[in-house]
Amino acid sequence: MNIPCLVPTCVNTIVDDAQVCAGCASRLTSALRSVHDGPEGPGLASDLEVSLSRRHRTGPGNMGRRSTEAPLPYDARSAEALAVLRNTLTTWCRLLHEEIGGRLPEDTPSAMAAWLSRFTDWLRRSDFGAECVDEIIAAVEQAERAIDLPEKRVLAGLCPGCGLPCYARHDASRARCGSCETELSVREGRERLFRTAEGHLLTAAEAARALGLLGHEVTAAAIRGLARRGRLHPGGTGSAGRPLYTLGDVLEACLDSEDVA
């Protein structure tokens, strides 16, 4: 009997005895390979280091005009993405090492990603494999956004006409459904969506992704930090004993904290 893949963002089914579908395992392998340096050139971690030092520009230029703002000594967006990526890889290397033993890799994102990529098939069958896939892919996607700076689009809500998700620019007040052309208010759409989902139990990575779609920028690492400082309390426990939080509690803690942007 086919069972659903346990990765929160996946809708595929699994035909063997694993916890994670082959497609998500392949996505994890590709994400990890994109991080570490290889024969084809520097990986994502090295690109972040370059972006941090501002040795190259990202995003649109200013057509030769001088900026009225003093330049930052480093790229804050890349700094946060690199920290999240490093912390995520460190967490999963240590957790996997506790299960399989052996020798830990060097404490660099490139080395840790290369080491983890050797065990994607093992992770497919692990009780915490789905969370590993979800967190690592989320961290890699954040790193890619920090470098590429694409136009940010957030979830505006579900279309009142056809029920499909609608997306809008982060600063837009209204959105238009790409399927049936129905317009909706971004604020009202998000509020309805949040009321539906606020009691759901999520991992820190899942909550960060959900809040990001709703227009609130917060990382999984920041959510875990709020929990360590007693500002957020778990509402349950997931696989491998990892804490779960209600989406409403996470949002309230983030909005009340001066430490989370």
Side-chain angles (χ1 to χ4, degrees):
M1 181 178 70
N2 292 353
I3 61 171
C5 175
L6 297 183
V7 176
T9 56
C10 183
V11 297
N12 295 330
T13 57
I14 302 171
V15 297
D16 54 18
D17 61 345
Q19 306 283 326
V20 173
C21 72
C24 284
S26 177
R27 288 176 60 212
L28 175 62
T29 299
S30 297
L32 290 168
R33 286 177 177 170
S34 73
V35 173
H36 67 79
D37 302 332
E40 65 279 6
L44 185 58
S46 295
D47 288 342
L48 282 171
E49 294 283 2
V50 171
S51 183
L52 258 175
S53 63
R54 292 186 179 272
R55 288 197 292 267
H56 75 279
R57 296 184 58 85
T58 55
N62 62 0
M63 303 296 293
R65 296 186 296 271
R66 288 189 176 184
S67 171
T68 58
E69 298 180 0
L72 293 174
Y74 64 95
D75 187 332
R77 185 184 175 108
S78 296
E80 179 186 17
L82 183 59
V84 169
L85 182 63
R86 179 187 293 277
N87 291 340
T88 301
L89 293 174
T90 298
T91 295
W92 288 108
C93 280
R94 290 175 178 171
L95 188 56
L96 185 58
H97 180 260
E98 291 175 2
E99 296 290 326
I100 65 175
R103 184 176 180 180
L104 280 168
E106 294 182 15
D107 185 24
T108 66
S110 179
M112 289 188 287
W115 186 79
L116 284 168
S117 66
R118 296 161 45 197
F119 302 104
T120 52
D121 190 60
W122 187 93
L123 285 165
R124 281 194 67 215
R125 292 166 170 78
S126 166
D127 288 340
F128 52 74
E131 292 179 48
C132 177
V133 171
D134 188 50
E135 290 194 6
I136 288 178
I137 289 178
V140 169
E141 289 177 347
Q142 180 180 354
E144 291 172 342
R145 291 194 298 270
I147 292 173
D148 295 335
L149 297 180
E151 180 185 31
K152 180 179 177 180
R153 297 180 68 81
V154 296
L155 185 62
L158 300 180
C159 174
C162 64
L164 292 177
C166 295
Y167 295 86
R169 297 190 315 273
H170 74 283
D171 57 350
S173 61
R174 300 193 65 80
R176 185 183 297 274
C177 177
S179 177
C180 68
E181 298 294 314
T182 299
E183 281 198 2
L184 73 154
S185 161
V186 172
R187 180 180 62 80
E188 293 175 0
R190 288 179 185 166
E191 287 178 353
R192 285 195 300 269
L193 191 64
F194 183 76
R195 285 195 298 270
T196 301
E198 64 177 342
H200 289 192
L201 288 172
L202 305 170
T203 65
E206 293 164 0
R209 183 171 297 180
L211 290 179
L213 289 173
L214 291 172
H216 300 280
E217 286 290 348
V218 61
T219 66
I223 293 172
R224 296 189 191 98
L226 290 171
R228 284 195 302 271
R229 295 192 293 274
R231 300 184 185 179
L232 177 64
H233 303 284
T237 304
S239 60
R242 299 177 73 80
L244 302 176
Y245 310 96
T246 63
L247 190 59
D249 288 346
V250 173
L251 178 58
E252 183 178 358
C254 290
L255 293 179
D256 287 346
S257 174
E258 297 180 352
D259 300 329
V260 180

